[in-house]
Amino acid sequence: MKALDKKLWRDLWHMRGQALAIALVVMCGVGTYIMFLSTLGALRATQASYYREYRFAEAFVSLKRAPESLRQRLQDITGIDRVETRVVAPIRLEMPDFPEPVTALMVSLPDDGQQALNALYLREGRLPAPGRGDEVVVSTPFAQAHKLKPGDRFTATLNGRRQPLTLVGTALSPEFVQQLRPGAAFPDYKRYGVMWMGRQALGRAYDLEGAFNDAAFSLLRGADAQSAIDRIDDLLKPYGGLGAYARKDQRSHRFLSEEFQQLGTLASLFPGMFMGIAAFLLNVVISRQVAMQREQIATLKAFGYSNGDVIFHYLKLVAMIAVLGIAGGTALGLWLGKLLSALYMEFYHFPYLIFALHPATFAEAAAATLLAAVAGTLFAVWRAAALRPAQAMRPEPPARYRESVVEQLGLKRWLSQPTRMIIRHLQRRALKSLLTLLGIALACGIILTGLFQRDTVGYMLHVQYGMSQREDISVTFTDPASRRALFDLQGLPGVEHVEVFRAVPVRLRNGQNSYRTAVRGVESGGEIQRLLDADLRTVALPQDGILLTDHLGRILNVKPGDTLEVEVLEGSRPVRETTVVGLVKEYMGVSGYMELAALNRLMREGPVISGAYLSVDSAYLNELFQRFKEMPRVAGVAERVQEIRNFNRVMDETMLFFTYVASIFAAIIAFGVIYNSARIALTERSRELASLRVLGFTRGEISYILLGELGILTILAIPLGLWMGNWMCYYIAHSMQNDLFRVPVILVPATYAFAATVVLVSAIFSGMVVRRRLDRLDLIAVLKTAE
Amino acid sequence: MPAMNQAEPLTPQPRPIFEAHGLTKDYQMGEVLVKALRGVDLELYPGEFVVLLGPSGSGKSTLLNILGGLDTPTTGSVRYRDHDLSVYDDAALTHYRREHVGFVFQFYNLIPSLTARENVALVTEISDNPMTPEEALKLVGLGERMDHFPTQMSGGEQQRVAIARAVAKRPQVLLCDEPTGALDAQTGVLVLDVIARVNQELGTTTAVITHNEVIAGMADRIVHLRDGLVARVERNASKIAASALRW
Ligand SMILES: Nc1ncnc2c1ncn2[C@@H]1O[C@H](COP(=O)(O)OP(=O)(O)OP(=O)(O)O)[C@@H](O)[C@H]1O
Ligand SMILES: [Mg+2]
């Protein structure tokens, strides 16, 4: 081996602690990057493949009733490839293991078992036998939630008639990756599921024999979806068509794409930030390492090594550290990515998972790391090599120290000699001190970005369910009901207070911008359901006009005073107009709100309601659930605590896991940076400190000089870091807005304290290592080697 | 003033290996301009042993560094054989040093992470016709300590490693800046003896800076510097062997 390469290995071994710390920082940056992007890639690839292989439809429509003969005319529409007509009905279930109300969506299967679209992935058992009207296939997550196996039986209410059903199989469907009860924001497999039975039997139960009330379509390649949808609407108008919609508006798909998009945002922000910060730190640390070897560089040059040789030598050193970090980061990232993808696969109930690291992802991470390392090295070597060797070999000119600002302020006599040394040193190497400060601060800041989402979720729950939707139970009716239903509810046991609402499915439109959602008519002055403005003050409901979720206002590009077109998606599907009177703050979902009577007026209907919010005495809950089961017009019952639980579960299983990992990595980065700063300071100044020891300074005193400096930098870096972290959080939150959530930035004191603690503990630990080294400082050796 | 004319006998001389004319070197130190060299004329001849004497700050190191291609003059010209060093850029100077020059520094400047043998190998690996590191170390009497690291050696031993490192590539020129400055008399003699042997046995043109007038006895010629100028040049009628030096 060449002597220069031996030097390389020995230098590397000599600085192994620091090299490891640097590699760790790189590892966390690369690891985060690869974890996020590989997970996202796996989810997207799996979704795409699942959709393709199981023929997920591209357009959907629900209607009242159309004869099967219409199928051919649908098929003839330009651009339509396949058509699947079916019967779809909401049903109620009585589960033997579960007292609360359970609802489900029953979807018909073609009697020949050949699904043209939205094919089932049969997990267990078999499809219903032809002609067996009592056999059903149940969605796997629902079956799992109730521990159902093929052969199990339960009772369902189909079109008002109770009927026993036998489970013959469990399955997954690309159409119901997310199974959401209408109105719910999160899946709850215990209370809502999807199941499938033969077309004939289901048709018979709903008087739809030889007819259908739902259809799905696939499109020819390159077909114009919108014009096909318009034609479907034209064709189905006489049959109570509720407006066809494209895949992008399909509920499960939209939920999924919103979530993936959110993940995608996280996946581009976090790793970008981490990589950026890791690269910056690598750069700073490396350039200081190399700068310390300035005399050795000069010696090499004196003996005829060229600038190129020297640069190459140090690049190899740095590349080794970087490669170690990249390799470790890739392994770690892949491992975590696999773990996470598997978690997500379970969460979404994908039938299988396609996991592969995209070469470009790896290349990006490696390139960014190496670039930062190389830039840092080049800069430092260049500065050392640009000096004429004669000059570089002279010990660095005695630094031009000055009285520090603090001393000039007249505090001098209060400061001990060592303290003055600390302050003067900090001031003289202002740039270096600043970079160290910035490094520690950044490390402190990114810890917050990993943690803030947890705080935020808590806050969102508090606002949404503690201040805005405060009911204990919400009840929805199968069809709009007369206001008299209110009295029935008030008479139920344990019911303390009832507020009614009307919900109308609509498409809101302002010129080019439109959005499918529901308009909710609520009673003004209600205690349970309250609308809040940006400052969380209750908004009074106007006598007329509509209030929109602020995010919906942005989507539709409307402001108070604008006129909005309301296309009703039920009944005779009238198109009306109303005025936007204001925007309300909501962190979850997007809706429009009107005063109940105003909505009834807009709909040109009497005092009709769709459901009610109840506050109840929890002691009566089970009795209440029992009574609801006996009320055929009650389509669904939702409990607020369950919503909160579902919300928390979804959060825990998805986003928060990511961010936990991110915060751990951030903590490691913080440690790596601080440890390195301390070690470099030690190496840079060991000669000076050894000389002081020779002059009679004690170990404590020289430790104080060195560690005092680190301490001051750390103390200054923490508030700066918290402040910067706050901004990073705002940036993330802002980028993550979507229809499902708008994430506010909430950071509770405990989170700040945690970030500060990580930094402090890292500093103390590093300080202890340095102190131990100082105690063992070999005075002779240090003074003997002429740097 | 061309000092050499007085000292040189009129016998025909071989072509000089170094020719310096009107060398000046200025250093800007903040507001002050330090004139380290103010117009040095000097010629060195092949195989010669020259000692540079002069008070501290007189410009000895500056002159030696310029001759060795570690630095460039502010004005004036310096030639090494056919090379005009004063117009060389960094790459050309590097090449020149690699091919022709061996350095010994006052503070040894060994690479701390390499053993004696490896410190020498560092140089032999990039030269055309070097000795082996072992040969070079034996030459300086360190055959036994080849695998020791710099911190495990005394100052004299480190300096001898530095000499081995400088001569291992059989340079045309050996430039030593106070090679005995940090050593006691006995060790100093040892080191000087090595340098003299290299000068004689390999015919290496050698220039040694020292504050020690006694050492001047070893030289063919003695160049006295004062205030950045060559004050005078002496020629020794008879050289004293290093081992006979006492101080
Ligand atoms: N890199 C530099 N920057 C500024 N001034 C310098 C530099 N190198 C040398 N000098 C100045 O040039 C003058 C000559 O320096 P030089 O090192 O050549 O002296 P010297 O004769 O070798 O002295 P010594 O015997 O003390 O080594 C001195 O005044 C010195 O301070
Ligand atoms: Mg000198």
Side-chain angles (χ1 to χ4, degrees):
Chain A
M1 200 191 321
K2 291 224 167 170
L4 206 54
D5 290 329
K6 281 191 193 144
K7 165 170 154 37
L8 188 75
W9 287 110
R10 300 229 177 96
D11 285 352
L12 201 60
W13 177 246
H14 185 70
M15 57 179 285
R16 60 192 177 276
Q18 277 148 284
L20 221 62
I22 299 172
L24 218 59
V25 169
V26 173
M27 198 169 104
C28 289
V30 172
T32 319
Y33 197 78
I34 288 186
M35 170 184 80
F36 272 85
L37 290 177
S38 65
T39 304
L40 190 68
L43 288 176
R44 290 211 165 118
T46 305
Q47 181 197 28
S49 147
Y50 184 29
Y51 278 5
R52 199 172 48 246
E53 284 183 36
Y54 289 85
R55 303 187 291 282
F56 182 39
E58 288 162 287
F60 304 81
V61 68
S62 298
L63 53 144
K64 199 138 193 93
R65 180 183 215 277
E68 186 61 22
S69 55
L70 208 63
R71 188 181 183 288
Q72 192 52 49
R73 292 181 57 197
L74 287 169
Q75 177 78 69
D76 292 341
I77 292 173
T78 330
I80 297 287
D81 183 13
R82 299 187 207 199
V83 180
E84 174 129 316
T85 59
R86 47 194 193 169
V87 174
V88 173
I91 61 168
R92 296 201 329 187
L93 300 173
E94 289 159 43
M95 303 309 296
D97 64 323
F98 194 68
E100 293 176 39
V102 179
T103 53
L105 191 70
M106 185 66 90
V107 181
S108 71
L109 286 173
D111 285 313
D112 61 4
Q114 300 298 309
Q115 287 180 283
L117 295 169
N118 304 323
L120 291 187
Y121 171 88
L122 207 58
R123 254 270 154 82
E124 249 186 313
R126 57 172 174 82
L127 293 179
R132 289 294 300 265
D134 62 333
E135 293 186 349
V136 291
V137 167
V138 169
S139 71
T140 307
F142 183 82
Q144 282 168 353
H146 288 279
K147 302 199 171 56
L148 296 174
K149 318 177 290 301
D152 286 348
R153 304 165 68 82
F154 49 88
T155 308
T157 306
L158 276 75
N159 205 13
R161 279 190 297 273
R162 295 179 75 235
Q163 183 183 334
L165 296 176
T166 306
L167 188 155
V168 293
T170 75
L172 300 169
S173 161
E175 193 183 359
F176 299 103
V177 175
Q178 285 293 340
Q179 302 174 16
L180 296 172
R181 187 187 42 227
F186 308 100
D188 182 345
Y189 298 116
K190 262 195 140 33
R191 292 171 185 76
Y192 183 80
V194 178
M195 41 194 71
W196 294 267
M197 69 191 285
R199 167 84 175 264
Q200 224 180 359
L202 189 59
R204 204 180 306 122
Y206 283 86
D207 304 321
L208 286 166
E209 287 175 283
F212 62 94
N213 71 353
D214 196 279
F217 309 86
S218 66
L219 303 173
L220 291 168
R221 198 179 290 271
D224 177 5
Q226 194 51 50
S227 78
I229 283 170
D230 290 344
R231 289 287 299 121
I232 296 171
D233 281 349
D234 291 345
L235 209 57
L236 292 181
K237 189 137 199 156
Y239 304 97
L242 291 182
Y245 50 92
R247 185 191 274 185
K248 69 171 172 41
D249 289 324
Q250 200 259 355
R251 213 145 171 250
S252 160
H253 175 76
R254 213 185 73 203
F255 196 98
L256 220 59
S257 33
E258 294 274 331
E259 287 216 336
F260 285 7
Q261 192 213 322
Q262 201 158 41
L263 269 181
T265 310
L266 278 181
S268 61
L269 282 178
F270 263 107
M273 258 182 208
F274 275 55
M275 282 292 296
I277 291 173
F280 166 74
L281 297 173
L282 180 67
N283 187 300
V284 170
V285 166
I286 288 295
S287 61
R288 283 182 77 178
Q289 278 293 352
V290 173
M292 279 188 309
Q293 295 219 347
R294 129 193 178 123
E295 293 211 28
Q296 294 194 27
I297 293 173
T299 307
L300 289 175
K301 286 196 63 185
F303 286 103
Y305 282 90
S306 66
N307 284 348
D309 297 334
V310 174
I311 286 172
F312 187 58
H313 171 68
Y314 284 98
L315 280 184
K316 278 197 283 191
L317 177 78
V318 170
M320 233 147 5
I321 299 176
V323 165
L324 187 71
I326 292 170
T330 306
L332 184 72
L334 278 179
W335 180 65
L336 285 171
K338 263 194 189 134
L339 210 76
L340 262 184
S341 305
L343 271 179
Y344 270 90
M345 182 188 127
E346 268 206 38
F347 177 73
Y348 290 120
H349 298 279
F350 282 136
Y352 53 83
L353 181 71
I354 299 173
F355 185 86
L357 175 60
H358 206 284
T361 305
F362 171 76
E364 278 158 21
T369 308
L370 287 174
L371 205 71
V374 167
T377 318
L378 283 184
F379 176 71
V381 177
W382 200 256
R383 261 194 3 187
L387 292 176
R388 295 251 171 256
Q391 198 143 1
M393 226 162 337
R394 291 164 64 96
E396 274 205 69
R400 258 173 294 156
Y401 282 94
R402 286 181 296 138
E403 289 213 326
S404 62
V405 178
V406 182
E407 289 167 285
Q408 283 164 14
L409 288 176
L411 298 171
K412 185 166 175 175
R413 61 206 176 96
W414 307 107
L415 302 175
S416 67
Q417 196 57 43
T419 307
R420 283 185 219 168
M421 287 179 69
I422 293 176
I423 297 173
R424 285 184 199 172
H425 191 258
L426 281 174
Q427 181 173 327
R428 189 180 71 81
R429 319 190 74 168
L431 183 67
K432 206 172 270 186
S433 305
L434 210 68
L435 286 178
T436 309
L437 185 79
L438 197 63
I440 300 175
L442 279 173
C444 176
I446 49 172
I447 299 176
L448 291 186
T449 61
L451 292 172
F452 93 94
Q453 320 214 15
R454 158 115 299 199
D455 296 352
T456 295
V457 164
Y459 178 79
M460 283 164 76
L461 278 178
H462 170 67
V463 171
Q464 190 80 12
Y465 293 112
M467 300 176 71
S468 181
Q469 282 175 251
R470 310 199 304 161
E471 81 279 2
D472 294 317
I473 288 181
S474 67
V475 175
T476 8
F477 301 131
T478 45
D479 296 297
S482 129
R483 228 190 132 83
R484 275 199 311 274
L486 172 65
F487 302 114
D488 299 342
L489 293 173
Q490 272 169 341
L492 291 173
V495 172
E496 288 164 354
H497 183 68
V498 182
E499 284 172 21
V500 294
F501 67 87
R502 172 83 171 99
V504 181
V506 295
R507 195 196 309 269
L508 297 177
R509 181 172 286 135
N510 173 38
Q512 284 296 309
N513 308 308
S514 74
Y515 195 85
R516 269 173 81 106
T517 179
V519 177
R520 235 155 231 271
V522 292
E523 293 179 285
S524 62
E527 272 301 300
I528 297 181
Q529 180 80 358
R530 296 193 304 197
L531 301 175
L532 305 173
D533 66 10
D535 299 321
L536 302 184
R537 282 183 310 237
T538 310
V539 179
L541 273 168
Q543 284 310 303
D544 224 331
I546 190 167
L547 291 171
L548 300 177
T549 309
D550 48 359
H551 186 68
L552 183 55
R554 277 194 294 274
I555 295 176
L556 294 173
N557 192 23
V558 290
K559 49 185 191 319
D562 290 353
T563 306
L564 202 58
E565 193 182 291
V566 181
E567 185 187 339
V568 178
L569 298 178
E570 66 171 33
S572 59
R573 299 188 57 202
V575 178
R576 304 272 150 78
E577 275 188 354
T578 187
T579 311
V580 178
V581 286
L583 301 176
V584 291
K585 181 95 209 153
E586 281 188 311
Y587 293 123
M588 293 179 230
V590 282
S591 322
Y593 296 94
M594 294 180 78
E595 208 275 322
L596 181 56
L599 181 57
N600 286 150
R601 274 200 306 281
L602 186 76
M603 294 294 292
R604 301 192 190 140
E605 62 192 10
V608 173
I609 60 176
S610 311
Y613 301 117
L614 278 57
S615 42
V616 301
D617 180 343
S618 58
Y620 291 89
L621 264 182
N622 278 338
E623 199 179 335
L624 261 179
F625 288 143
Q626 201 50 47
R627 295 288 290 273
F628 286 139
K629 283 187 191 173
E630 292 153 13
M631 300 169 74
R633 285 167 56 200
V634 170
V637 176
E639 221 187 318
R640 186 180 57 150
V641 255
Q642 294 306 336
E643 290 287 322
I644 296 176
R645 232 171 258 158
N646 294 335
F647 180 90
N648 271 329
R649 187 174 46 80
V650 169
M651 283 303 179
D652 274 339
E653 284 176 22
T654 57
M655 211 164 70
L656 290 182
F657 190 94
F658 256 147
T659 57
Y660 279 153
V661 175
S663 12
I664 291 172
F665 282 4
I668 296 177
I669 290 182
F671 171 76
V673 172
I674 294 168
Y675 180 72
N676 254 302
S677 305
R679 287 301 305 273
I680 292 177
L682 172 68
T683 318
E684 282 175 346
R685 302 188 66 193
S686 55
R687 248 178 106 72
E688 181 189 344
L689 296 176
S691 314
L692 288 177
R693 287 275 287 127
V694 173
L695 292 181
F697 277 72
T698 64
R699 285 177 179 156
E701 281 162 342
I702 61 164
S703 302
Y704 173 70
I705 290 173
L706 191 63
L707 297 180
E709 194 181 314
L710 181 68
I712 289 180
L713 289 177
T714 308
I715 299 295
L716 288 177
I718 288 175
L720 178 67
L722 296 179
W723 181 76
M724 291 196 304
N726 219 310
W727 280 106
M728 293 190 233
C729 292
Y730 270 106
Y731 181 62
I732 292 179
H734 183 78
S735 319
M736 280 200 333
Q737 296 191 31
N738 68 18
D739 298 5
L740 296 176
F741 310 106
R742 271 76 53 196
V743 184
V745 173
I746 302 298
L747 286 156
V748 300
T751 302
Y752 284 121
F754 178 79
T757 307
V758 168
V759 171
L760 277 178
V761 168
S762 306
I764 289 170
F765 176 84
S766 310
M768 272 162 30
V769 172
V770 167
R771 173 71 210 247
R772 234 189 46 192
R773 299 228 156 213
L774 278 179
D775 285 351
R776 294 186 320 198
L777 194 62
D778 182 347
L779 299 185
I780 314 298
V782 171
L783 295 175
K784 193 155 135 191
T785 49
E787 309 213 353
Chain B
M1 171 190 85
M4 238 167 302
N5 289 350
Q6 305 171 341
E8 293 307 313
L10 292 171
T11 49
Q13 287 282 332
R15 252 192 93 208
I17 191 168
F18 278 109
E19 285 175 89
H21 289 294
L23 280 188
T24 70
K25 180 72 187 177
D26 301 338
Y27 290 110
Q28 192 70 48
M29 288 288 282
E31 286 100 72
V32 262
L33 187 75
V34 180
K35 289 186 172 297
L37 297 179
R38 304 161 176 268
V40 169
D41 297 309
L42 185 66
E43 289 174 350
L44 299 186
Y45 296 93
E48 227 186 349
F49 193 120
V50 175
V51 164
L52 294 173
L53 278 177
S56 184
S58 57
K60 303 182 295 293
S61 297
T62 305
L63 177 60
L64 201 76
N65 288 341
I66 291 174
L67 294 179
L70 288 178
D71 215 340
T72 47
T74 308
T75 63
S77 75
V78 53
R79 294 186 71 82
Y80 167 79
R81 296 210 161 126
D82 299 329
H83 307 264
D84 187 352
L85 301 184
S86 41
V87 299
Y88 271 16
D89 63 3
D90 187 74
L93 285 176
T94 301
H95 196 71
Y96 159 68
R97 293 194 298 268
R98 180 191 289 221
E99 299 268 289
H100 305 286
V101 192
F103 286 101
V104 178
F105 303 106
Q106 182 177 2
F107 292 110
Y108 334 131
N109 283 74
L110 299 178
I111 303 290
S113 54
L114 295 180
T115 61
R117 189 205 307 265
E118 290 157 356
N119 260 289
V120 179
L122 196 62
V123 174
T124 58
E125 278 164 5
I126 57 168
S127 19
D128 286 335
N129 178 29
M131 310 173 197
T132 63
E134 292 75 16
E135 276 178 84
L137 284 165
K138 284 200 187 104
L139 194 68
V140 298
L142 279 179
E144 309 296 298
R145 318 273 323 242
M146 288 200 263
D147 294 318
H148 289 198
F149 284 94
T151 43
Q152 298 167 326
M153 288 186 276
S154 74
E157 285 160 351
Q158 289 187 56
Q159 191 60 298
R160 280 188 279 159
V161 176
I163 294 172
R165 182 175 62 177
V167 302
K169 66 173 162 193
R170 305 181 206 275
Q172 312 292 313
V173 190
L174 180 60
L175 303 176
C176 312
D177 194 343
E178 299 187 44
T180 60
L183 307 176
D184 66 49
Q186 253 173 316
T187 324
V189 167
L190 231 108
V191 165
L192 288 170
D193 184 52
V194 172
I195 294 173
R197 269 192 3 245
V198 168
N199 171 250
Q200 265 149 33
E201 289 167 18
L202 304 177
T204 310
T205 307
T206 307
V208 174
I209 293 179
T210 180
H211 280 144
N212 190 340
E213 309 244 354
V214 176
I215 294 173
M218 294 170 62
D220 294 313
R221 286 194 301 154
I222 302 127
V223 177
H224 293 268
L225 278 135
R226 184 177 300 279
D227 288 337
L229 285 169
V230 174
R232 72 198 149 86
V233 179
E234 291 173 71
R235 174 171 283 280
N236 269 336
S238 60
K239 294 203 280 185
I240 306 169
S243 49
L245 295 176
R246 288 289 175 276
W247 68 86

